[in-house]
Amino acid sequence: MQITDCHLFADADGRLMGVDTSQTLDWVLELARSLPSPDRLLLTGDLAQDGTPDSYRLLRERIAPLNVPSHWICGNHDNALAMAEALADQPQTLSKRIVMGSWQLLMLHSQVEGEVGGALAEAELELVERSLRAFKGHSLICMHHHPLAVGSQWMDRIAIANQQQLWERLALAQGQVILLCGHVHQHQERRHQGVTLLTTPATCFQFAPLSDSFGVTEEMPGLRTLELYDDGSFDTQVHRVSPHELTINRELMGY
Ligand SMILES: Nc1ncnc2c1ncn2[C@@H]1O[C@@H]2COP(=O)(O)O[C@H]2[C@H]1O
C-alpha cells in the first residue's frame, strides 16, 4: 500500500491551501483500515510540511494502528535529519533496498536540498544499476519526484531533472519494473520503454491534471494498493475516500 504527500504539521492549527492535512490523513487512514491489511506501507515523500521531528512522530503514531512495516522516503518538503531522528529506533524504515521474494523494493532519495524539483544523485543511480544487474527478479522502484513528464508544464519543470540517467539504467532490468512516485498529487498509470509508471493521489489536496499552470481540484484524497505476483505481474488500484467536505482556500495560488 502506498500513502503519499501528507504535508503534515506538528501544530494542530497547521493548514496548507486552507486544508487541514491532519484531518485528510485521518480520512485516508480510515480508508486504509477498511481494506485488506497490506504487507508493507510505502510512504513516498512530502510526509511533513514543516519538517519537524514532531511531525514525523505524529505520522508514526497515526500509521501505528495499521500494524504493518513501513518504508519512508523524503520529498522536497521533508527534512531528512528530522525524519531520521523520529525513526531512530526503526532503522529498517529507511532501508534503501528490501528483497521480497521475487521482487526487490528500491527506495530512492530524489530530494535536492532547497529545491522544489528533484534529481537522483550518483549514489542513487549506482544503487539502481547494481540492484538491477544483480537481481534476476522484478523491481518496484519508489521515489518522490516523477521520473517522466506527466503533461502539466509547471509540474514537469519540477520533475527529476536527470531522469534520462535513470531510464538508461532501467534498460538493465532482468524482470518487470514498476516506478512509483508521489509529488504530482494525481493518479496516472503509463507504460514507457517497457516500464510501468504509477503516480498516486495525495492524502491532502489534488493538482489539476494536464494543466499548464498551478491548479487544485475537488477530487478526494486517496491511496494506492499494489499486489505483486511471483511471475512479475501485478494488480494495482487507487482508492479514494468517500466524499467529505474538503475546504480548499482557492484565493491562494500556491504555497
Ligand atoms: N503556484 C505555484 N506555481 C509553481 N509551483 C508552485 C506553486 N505553488 C506551489 N508550488 C510548488 O510546487 C510544488 C508541487 O508540489 P509540492 O507539494 O512539492 O510543493 C509545491 C510547491 O513547492
PDB file of all heavy atoms in Angstrom, residues 128-159:
ATOM      1  N   VAL A 128      20.590   1.745  -8.251  1.00  0.00           N
ATOM      2  CA  VAL A 128      19.681   1.190  -9.265  1.00  0.00           C
ATOM      3  C   VAL A 128      20.463   0.243 -10.171  1.00  0.00           C
ATOM      4  O   VAL A 128      20.052  -0.902 -10.419  1.00  0.00           O
ATOM      5  CB  VAL A 128      19.029   2.322 -10.095  1.00  0.00           C
ATOM      6  CG1 VAL A 128      18.230   1.753 -11.260  1.00  0.00           C
ATOM      7  CG2 VAL A 128      18.143   3.194  -9.207  1.00  0.00           C
ATOM      8  N   GLU A 129      21.613   0.704 -10.635  1.00  0.00           N
ATOM      9  CA  GLU A 129      22.397  -0.094 -11.586  1.00  0.00           C
ATOM     10  C   GLU A 129      22.840  -1.419 -10.955  1.00  0.00           C
ATOM     11  O   GLU A 129      22.638  -2.496 -11.522  1.00  0.00           O
ATOM     12  CB  GLU A 129      23.613   0.710 -12.065  1.00  0.00           C
ATOM     13  CG  GLU A 129      24.416  -0.049 -13.084  1.00  0.00           C
ATOM     14  CD  GLU A 129      25.394   0.815 -13.860  1.00  0.00           C
ATOM     15  OE1 GLU A 129      25.222   2.051 -13.908  1.00  0.00           O
ATOM     16  OE2 GLU A 129      26.336   0.230 -14.427  1.00  0.00           O
ATOM     17  N   ARG A 130      23.412  -1.337  -9.767  1.00  0.00           N
ATOM     18  CA  ARG A 130      23.898  -2.548  -9.073  1.00  0.00           C
ATOM     19  C   ARG A 130      22.738  -3.518  -8.821  1.00  0.00           C
ATOM     20  O   ARG A 130      22.850  -4.719  -9.033  1.00  0.00           O
ATOM     21  CB  ARG A 130      24.497  -2.146  -7.721  1.00  0.00           C
ATOM     22  CG  ARG A 130      25.981  -2.422  -7.596  1.00  0.00           C
ATOM     23  CD  ARG A 130      26.501  -2.079  -6.214  1.00  0.00           C
ATOM     24  NE  ARG A 130      26.260  -0.702  -5.845  1.00  0.00           N
ATOM     25  CZ  ARG A 130      25.596  -0.309  -4.755  1.00  0.00           C
ATOM     26  NH1 ARG A 130      25.076  -1.171  -3.932  1.00  0.00           N
ATOM     27  NH2 ARG A 130      25.422   0.979  -4.494  1.00  0.00           N
ATOM     28  N   SER A 131      21.615  -2.974  -8.342  1.00  0.00           N
ATOM     29  CA  SER A 131      20.482  -3.832  -7.962  1.00  0.00           C
ATOM     30  C   SER A 131      19.866  -4.496  -9.189  1.00  0.00           C
ATOM     31  O   SER A 131      19.480  -5.669  -9.140  1.00  0.00           O
ATOM     32  CB  SER A 131      19.420  -3.009  -7.232  1.00  0.00           C
ATOM     33  OG  SER A 131      20.005  -2.353  -6.138  1.00  0.00           O
ATOM     34  N   LEU A 132      19.763  -3.757 -10.281  1.00  0.00           N
ATOM     35  CA  LEU A 132      19.166  -4.345 -11.486  1.00  0.00           C
ATOM     36  C   LEU A 132      20.091  -5.382 -12.110  1.00  0.00           C
ATOM     37  O   LEU A 132      19.636  -6.401 -12.629  1.00  0.00           O
ATOM     38  CB  LEU A 132      18.803  -3.257 -12.497  1.00  0.00           C
ATOM     39  CG  LEU A 132      17.686  -2.303 -12.079  1.00  0.00           C
ATOM     40  CD1 LEU A 132      17.402  -1.296 -13.181  1.00  0.00           C
ATOM     41  CD2 LEU A 132      16.404  -3.049 -11.718  1.00  0.00           C
ATOM     42  N   ARG A 133      21.398  -5.126 -12.054  1.00  0.00           N
ATOM     43  CA  ARG A 133      22.348  -6.108 -12.612  1.00  0.00           C
ATOM     44  C   ARG A 133      22.334  -7.401 -11.797  1.00  0.00           C
ATOM     45  O   ARG A 133      22.400  -8.499 -12.335  1.00  0.00           O
ATOM     46  CB  ARG A 133      23.773  -5.544 -12.571  1.00  0.00           C
ATOM     47  CG  ARG A 133      24.109  -4.616 -13.712  1.00  0.00           C
ATOM     48  CD  ARG A 133      25.607  -4.337 -13.710  1.00  0.00           C
ATOM     49  NE  ARG A 133      25.959  -3.185 -14.499  1.00  0.00           N
ATOM     50  CZ  ARG A 133      26.035  -3.160 -15.822  1.00  0.00           C
ATOM     51  NH1 ARG A 133      25.762  -4.242 -16.518  1.00  0.00           N
ATOM     52  NH2 ARG A 133      26.359  -2.060 -16.469  1.00  0.00           N
ATOM     53  N   ALA A 134      22.223  -7.261 -10.464  1.00  0.00           N
ATOM     54  CA  ALA A 134      22.395  -8.427  -9.591  1.00  0.00           C
ATOM     55  C   ALA A 134      21.127  -9.251  -9.421  1.00  0.00           C
ATOM     56  O   ALA A 134      21.191 -10.439  -9.128  1.00  0.00           O
ATOM     57  CB  ALA A 134      22.887  -7.959  -8.212  1.00  0.00           C
ATOM     58  N   PHE A 135      19.968  -8.630  -9.579  1.00  0.00           N
ATOM     59  CA  PHE A 135      18.713  -9.294  -9.188  1.00  0.00           C
ATOM     60  C   PHE A 135      17.979  -9.811 -10.414  1.00  0.00           C
ATOM     61  O   PHE A 135      17.657  -9.047 -11.332  1.00  0.00           O
ATOM     62  CB  PHE A 135      17.845  -8.293  -8.414  1.00  0.00           C
ATOM     63  CG  PHE A 135      16.707  -8.918  -7.675  1.00  0.00           C
ATOM     64  CD1 PHE A 135      16.927  -9.734  -6.575  1.00  0.00           C
ATOM     65  CD2 PHE A 135      15.397  -8.689  -8.083  1.00  0.00           C
ATOM     66  CE1 PHE A 135      15.864 -10.309  -5.887  1.00  0.00           C
ATOM     67  CE2 PHE A 135      14.330  -9.258  -7.407  1.00  0.00           C
ATOM     68  CZ  PHE A 135      14.566 -10.063  -6.303  1.00  0.00           C
ATOM     69  N   LYS A 136      17.671 -11.096 -10.389  1.00  0.00           N
ATOM     70  CA  LYS A 136      17.046 -11.707 -11.575  1.00  0.00           C
ATOM     71  C   LYS A 136      15.529 -11.528 -11.586  1.00  0.00           C
ATOM     72  O   LYS A 136      14.877 -11.832 -12.570  1.00  0.00           O
ATOM     73  CB  LYS A 136      17.388 -13.196 -11.629  1.00  0.00           C
ATOM     74  CG  LYS A 136      18.883 -13.456 -11.748  1.00  0.00           C
ATOM     75  CD  LYS A 136      19.170 -14.601 -12.702  1.00  0.00           C
ATOM     76  CE  LYS A 136      20.657 -14.894 -12.850  1.00  0.00           C
ATOM     77  NZ  LYS A 136      21.504 -13.708 -12.989  1.00  0.00           N
ATOM     78  N   GLY A 137      14.978 -11.052 -10.476  1.00  0.00           N
ATOM     79  CA  GLY A 137      13.525 -10.919 -10.383  1.00  0.00           C
ATOM     80  C   GLY A 137      13.037  -9.564 -10.858  1.00  0.00           C
ATOM     81  O   GLY A 137      13.606  -8.958 -11.770  1.00  0.00           O
ATOM     82  N   HIS A 138      11.993  -9.090 -10.216  1.00  0.00           N
ATOM     83  CA  HIS A 138      11.271  -7.879 -10.637  1.00  0.00           C
ATOM     84  C   HIS A 138      11.528  -6.744  -9.623  1.00  0.00           C
ATOM     85  O   HIS A 138      11.910  -7.017  -8.486  1.00  0.00           O
ATOM     86  CB  HIS A 138       9.787  -8.205 -10.752  1.00  0.00           C
ATOM     87  CG  HIS A 138       9.558  -9.511 -11.444  1.00  0.00           C
ATOM     88  ND1 HIS A 138       9.798  -9.671 -12.794  1.00  0.00           N
ATOM     89  CD2 HIS A 138       9.214 -10.740 -10.963  1.00  0.00           C
ATOM     90  CE1 HIS A 138       9.567 -10.929 -13.121  1.00  0.00           C
ATOM     91  NE2 HIS A 138       9.218 -11.605 -12.022  1.00  0.00           N
ATOM     92  N   SER A 139      11.309  -5.519 -10.075  1.00  0.00           N
ATOM     93  CA  SER A 139      11.702  -4.383  -9.239  1.00  0.00           C
ATOM     94  C   SER A 139      10.574  -3.369  -9.112  1.00  0.00           C
ATOM     95  O   SER A 139       9.992  -2.951 -10.121  1.00  0.00           O
ATOM     96  CB  SER A 139      12.923  -3.683  -9.840  1.00  0.00           C
ATOM     97  OG  SER A 139      13.976  -4.612  -9.994  1.00  0.00           O
ATOM     98  N   LEU A 140      10.316  -2.983  -7.879  1.00  0.00           N
ATOM     99  CA  LEU A 140       9.413  -1.867  -7.588  1.00  0.00           C
ATOM    100  C   LEU A 140      10.300  -0.734  -7.077  1.00  0.00           C
ATOM    101  O   LEU A 140      10.948  -0.875  -6.032  1.00  0.00           O
ATOM    102  CB  LEU A 140       8.391  -2.286  -6.519  1.00  0.00           C
ATOM    103  CG  LEU A 140       7.486  -1.184  -5.967  1.00  0.00           C
ATOM    104  CD1 LEU A 140       6.643  -0.542  -7.062  1.00  0.00           C
ATOM    105  CD2 LEU A 140       6.577  -1.758  -4.870  1.00  0.00           C
ATOM    106  N   ILE A 141      10.382   0.344  -7.860  1.00  0.00           N
ATOM    107  CA  ILE A 141      11.329   1.421  -7.546  1.00  0.00           C
ATOM    108  C   ILE A 141      10.536   2.674  -7.180  1.00  0.00           C
ATOM    109  O   ILE A 141       9.788   3.206  -8.005  1.00  0.00           O
ATOM    110  CB  ILE A 141      12.267   1.693  -8.745  1.00  0.00           C
ATOM    111  CG1 ILE A 141      12.943   0.388  -9.195  1.00  0.00           C
ATOM    112  CG2 ILE A 141      13.306   2.745  -8.378  1.00  0.00           C
ATOM    113  CD1 ILE A 141      13.900   0.541 -10.381  1.00  0.00           C
ATOM    114  N   CYS A 142      10.709   3.116  -5.933  1.00  0.00           N
ATOM    115  CA  CYS A 142       9.950   4.264  -5.427  1.00  0.00           C
ATOM    116  C   CYS A 142      10.842   5.493  -5.354  1.00  0.00           C
ATOM    117  O   CYS A 142      12.027   5.400  -5.009  1.00  0.00           O
ATOM    118  CB  CYS A 142       9.437   3.982  -4.016  1.00  0.00           C
ATOM    119  SG  CYS A 142       8.378   2.538  -3.929  1.00  0.00           S
ATOM    120  N   MET A 143      10.260   6.632  -5.664  1.00  0.00           N
ATOM    121  CA  MET A 143      10.953   7.919  -5.480  1.00  0.00           C
ATOM    122  C   MET A 143       9.859   8.964  -5.336  1.00  0.00           C
ATOM    123  O   MET A 143       8.717   8.732  -5.745  1.00  0.00           O
ATOM    124  CB  MET A 143      11.865   8.221  -6.675  1.00  0.00           C
ATOM    125  CG  MET A 143      11.144   8.413  -7.965  1.00  0.00           C
ATOM    126  SD  MET A 143      12.167   7.971  -9.378  1.00  0.00           S
ATOM    127  CE  MET A 143      11.870   6.204  -9.413  1.00  0.00           C
ATOM    128  N   HIS A 144      10.211  10.108  -4.764  1.00  0.00           N
ATOM    129  CA  HIS A 144       9.168  11.124  -4.580  1.00  0.00           C
ATOM    130  C   HIS A 144       8.818  11.820  -5.894  1.00  0.00           C
ATOM    131  O   HIS A 144       7.654  11.896  -6.279  1.00  0.00           O
ATOM    132  CB  HIS A 144       9.613  12.162  -3.546  1.00  0.00           C
ATOM    133  CG  HIS A 144       8.623  13.271  -3.415  1.00  0.00           C
ATOM    134  ND1 HIS A 144       7.372  13.075  -2.873  1.00  0.00           N
ATOM    135  CD2 HIS A 144       8.649  14.584  -3.806  1.00  0.00           C
ATOM    136  CE1 HIS A 144       6.686  14.208  -2.920  1.00  0.00           C
ATOM    137  NE2 HIS A 144       7.438  15.136  -3.477  1.00  0.00           N
ATOM    138  N   HIS A 145       9.829  12.345  -6.571  1.00  0.00           N
ATOM    139  CA  HIS A 145       9.577  13.136  -7.778  1.00  0.00           C
ATOM    140  C   HIS A 145       9.280  12.227  -8.979  1.00  0.00           C
ATOM    141  O   HIS A 145       9.776  11.105  -9.047  1.00  0.00           O
ATOM    142  CB  HIS A 145      10.781  14.007  -8.109  1.00  0.00           C
ATOM    143  CG  HIS A 145      11.084  15.036  -7.061  1.00  0.00           C
ATOM    144  ND1 HIS A 145      11.814  14.734  -5.930  1.00  0.00           N
ATOM    145  CD2 HIS A 145      10.755  16.348  -6.975  1.00  0.00           C
ATOM    146  CE1 HIS A 145      11.920  15.838  -5.189  1.00  0.00           C
ATOM    147  NE2 HIS A 145      11.293  16.815  -5.789  1.00  0.00           N
ATOM    148  N   HIS A 146       8.531  12.752  -9.935  1.00  0.00           N
ATOM    149  CA  HIS A 146       8.174  11.940 -11.105  1.00  0.00           C
ATOM    150  C   HIS A 146       9.359  11.870 -12.077  1.00  0.00           C
ATOM    151  O   HIS A 146       9.995  12.877 -12.369  1.00  0.00           O
ATOM    152  CB  HIS A 146       6.903  12.452 -11.791  1.00  0.00           C
ATOM    153  CG  HIS A 146       6.826  13.928 -12.014  1.00  0.00           C
ATOM    154  ND1 HIS A 146       7.002  14.860 -11.012  1.00  0.00           N
ATOM    155  CD2 HIS A 146       6.590  14.650 -13.145  1.00  0.00           C
ATOM    156  CE1 HIS A 146       6.874  16.069 -11.509  1.00  0.00           C
ATOM    157  NE2 HIS A 146       6.635  15.970 -12.804  1.00  0.00           N
ATOM    158  N   PRO A 147       9.611  10.663 -12.597  1.00  0.00           N
ATOM    159  CA  PRO A 147      10.760  10.462 -13.484  1.00  0.00           C
ATOM    160  C   PRO A 147      10.398  10.551 -14.968  1.00  0.00           C
ATOM    161  O   PRO A 147      11.171  10.099 -15.811  1.00  0.00           O
ATOM    162  CB  PRO A 147      11.196   9.039 -13.109  1.00  0.00           C
ATOM    163  CG  PRO A 147       9.925   8.358 -12.742  1.00  0.00           C
ATOM    164  CD  PRO A 147       9.001   9.397 -12.174  1.00  0.00           C
ATOM    165  N   LEU A 148       9.217  11.089 -15.248  1.00  0.00           N
ATOM    166  CA  LEU A 148       8.752  11.222 -16.627  1.00  0.00           C
ATOM    167  C   LEU A 148       7.682  12.311 -16.617  1.00  0.00           C
ATOM    168  O   LEU A 148       6.940  12.430 -15.637  1.00  0.00           O
ATOM    169  CB  LEU A 148       8.115   9.890 -17.065  1.00  0.00           C
ATOM    170  CG  LEU A 148       7.853   9.703 -18.545  1.00  0.00           C
ATOM    171  CD1 LEU A 148       9.160   9.648 -19.333  1.00  0.00           C
ATOM    172  CD2 LEU A 148       7.070   8.403 -18.783  1.00  0.00           C
ATOM    173  N   ALA A 149       7.611  13.080 -17.709  1.00  0.00           N
ATOM    174  CA  ALA A 149       6.619  14.161 -17.762  1.00  0.00           C
ATOM    175  C   ALA A 149       5.208  13.615 -17.538  1.00  0.00           C
ATOM    176  O   ALA A 149       4.868  12.538 -18.029  1.00  0.00           O
ATOM    177  CB  ALA A 149       6.705  14.851 -19.122  1.00  0.00           C
ATOM    178  N   VAL A 150       4.405  14.378 -16.799  1.00  0.00           N
ATOM    179  CA  VAL A 150       3.009  13.971 -16.589  1.00  0.00           C
ATOM    180  C   VAL A 150       2.042  14.817 -17.413  1.00  0.00           C
ATOM    181  O   VAL A 150       0.827  14.644 -17.335  1.00  0.00           O
ATOM    182  CB  VAL A 150       2.610  14.014 -15.086  1.00  0.00           C
ATOM    183  CG1 VAL A 150       3.351  12.963 -14.295  1.00  0.00           C
ATOM    184  CG2 VAL A 150       2.800  15.414 -14.491  1.00  0.00           C
ATOM    185  N   GLY A 151       2.587  15.783 -18.184  1.00  0.00           N
ATOM    186  CA  GLY A 151       1.743  16.548 -19.096  1.00  0.00           C
ATOM    187  C   GLY A 151       1.235  17.868 -18.532  1.00  0.00           C
ATOM    188  O   GLY A 151       0.330  18.465 -19.105  1.00  0.00           O
ATOM    189  N   SER A 152       1.809  18.329 -17.409  1.00  0.00           N
ATOM    190  CA  SER A 152       1.497  19.660 -16.853  1.00  0.00           C
ATOM    191  C   SER A 152       2.807  20.443 -16.859  1.00  0.00           C
ATOM    192  O   SER A 152       3.744  20.060 -16.154  1.00  0.00           O
ATOM    193  CB  SER A 152       1.002  19.574 -15.407  1.00  0.00           C
ATOM    194  OG  SER A 152      -0.242  18.944 -15.330  1.00  0.00           O
ATOM    195  N   GLN A 153       2.836  21.547 -17.634  1.00  0.00           N
ATOM    196  CA  GLN A 153       4.122  22.262 -17.766  1.00  0.00           C
ATOM    197  C   GLN A 153       4.738  22.627 -16.428  1.00  0.00           C
ATOM    198  O   GLN A 153       5.930  22.428 -16.197  1.00  0.00           O
ATOM    199  CB  GLN A 153       3.934  23.534 -18.589  1.00  0.00           C
ATOM    200  CG  GLN A 153       4.047  23.292 -20.077  1.00  0.00           C
ATOM    201  CD  GLN A 153       3.758  24.560 -20.869  1.00  0.00           C
ATOM    202  OE1 GLN A 153       3.936  25.659 -20.368  1.00  0.00           O
ATOM    203  NE2 GLN A 153       3.300  24.376 -22.090  1.00  0.00           N
ATOM    204  N   TRP A 154       3.930  23.174 -15.511  1.00  0.00           N
ATOM    205  CA  TRP A 154       4.516  23.661 -14.254  1.00  0.00           C
ATOM    206  C   TRP A 154       5.069  22.501 -13.426  1.00  0.00           C
ATOM    207  O   TRP A 154       6.089  22.648 -12.757  1.00  0.00           O
ATOM    208  CB  TRP A 154       3.506  24.504 -13.459  1.00  0.00           C
ATOM    209  CG  TRP A 154       2.439  23.713 -12.749  1.00  0.00           C
ATOM    210  CD1 TRP A 154       1.289  23.231 -13.294  1.00  0.00           C
ATOM    211  CD2 TRP A 154       2.440  23.328 -11.373  1.00  0.00           C
ATOM    212  NE1 TRP A 154       0.578  22.553 -12.332  1.00  0.00           N
ATOM    213  CE2 TRP A 154       1.257  22.601 -11.146  1.00  0.00           C
ATOM    214  CE3 TRP A 154       3.321  23.519 -10.310  1.00  0.00           C
ATOM    215  CZ2 TRP A 154       0.929  22.067  -9.902  1.00  0.00           C
ATOM    216  CZ3 TRP A 154       2.992  22.988  -9.072  1.00  0.00           C
ATOM    217  CH2 TRP A 154       1.815  22.268  -8.871  1.00  0.00           C
ATOM    218  N   MET A 155       4.409  21.340 -13.514  1.00  0.00           N
ATOM    219  CA  MET A 155       4.876  20.180 -12.746  1.00  0.00           C
ATOM    220  C   MET A 155       6.078  19.527 -13.424  1.00  0.00           C
ATOM    221  O   MET A 155       6.975  19.016 -12.760  1.00  0.00           O
ATOM    222  CB  MET A 155       3.753  19.132 -12.656  1.00  0.00           C
ATOM    223  CG  MET A 155       2.635  19.507 -11.746  1.00  0.00           C
ATOM    224  SD  MET A 155       2.473  18.335 -10.384  1.00  0.00           S
ATOM    225  CE  MET A 155       3.787  18.783  -9.334  1.00  0.00           C
ATOM    226  N   ASP A 156       6.069  19.558 -14.748  1.00  0.00           N
ATOM    227  CA  ASP A 156       7.155  18.879 -15.444  1.00  0.00           C
ATOM    228  C   ASP A 156       8.469  19.659 -15.346  1.00  0.00           C
ATOM    229  O   ASP A 156       9.537  19.093 -15.571  1.00  0.00           O
ATOM    230  CB  ASP A 156       6.746  18.550 -16.888  1.00  0.00           C
ATOM    231  CG  ASP A 156       5.673  17.463 -16.892  1.00  0.00           C
ATOM    232  OD1 ASP A 156       5.616  16.697 -15.900  1.00  0.00           O
ATOM    233  OD2 ASP A 156       4.868  17.391 -17.835  1.00  0.00           O
ATOM    234  N   ARG A 157       8.387  20.910 -14.924  1.00  0.00           N
ATOM    235  CA  ARG A 157       9.613  21.675 -14.639  1.00  0.00           C
ATOM    236  C   ARG A 157      10.220  21.274 -13.301  1.00  0.00           C
ATOM    237  O   ARG A 157      11.362  21.587 -13.015  1.00  0.00           O
ATOM    238  CB  ARG A 157       9.309  23.183 -14.624  1.00  0.00           C
ATOM    239  CG  ARG A 157       9.195  23.784 -16.027  1.00  0.00           C
ATOM    240  CD  ARG A 157       9.259  25.304 -15.980  1.00  0.00           C
ATOM    241  NE  ARG A 157       8.033  25.868 -15.412  1.00  0.00           N
ATOM    242  CZ  ARG A 157       6.986  26.250 -16.135  1.00  0.00           C
ATOM    243  NH1 ARG A 157       7.006  26.149 -17.446  1.00  0.00           N
ATOM    244  NH2 ARG A 157       5.919  26.755 -15.565  1.00  0.00           N
ATOM    245  N   ILE A 158       9.427  20.588 -12.447  1.00  0.00           N
ATOM    246  CA  ILE A 158       9.930  20.210 -11.112  1.00  0.00           C
ATOM    247  C   ILE A 158       9.945  18.677 -10.951  1.00  0.00           C
ATOM    248  O   ILE A 158       9.749  18.143  -9.878  1.00  0.00           O
ATOM    249  CB  ILE A 158       9.121  20.897  -9.982  1.00  0.00           C
ATOM    250  CG1 ILE A 158       7.612  20.649 -10.148  1.00  0.00           C
ATOM    251  CG2 ILE A 158       9.434  22.390  -9.931  1.00  0.00           C
ATOM    252  CD1 ILE A 158       6.772  21.089  -8.951  1.00  0.00           C
ATOM    253  N   ALA A 159      10.166  18.006 -12.081  1.00  0.00           N
ATOM    254  CA  ALA A 159      10.300  16.536 -12.078  1.00  0.00           C
ATOM    255  C   ALA A 159      11.744  16.173 -11.702  1.00  0.00           C
ATOM    256  O   ALA A 159      12.496  17.024 -11.215  1.00  0.00           O
ATOM    257  CB  ALA A 159       9.952  16.015 -13.465  1.00  0.00           C
TER     258      ALA A 159
END
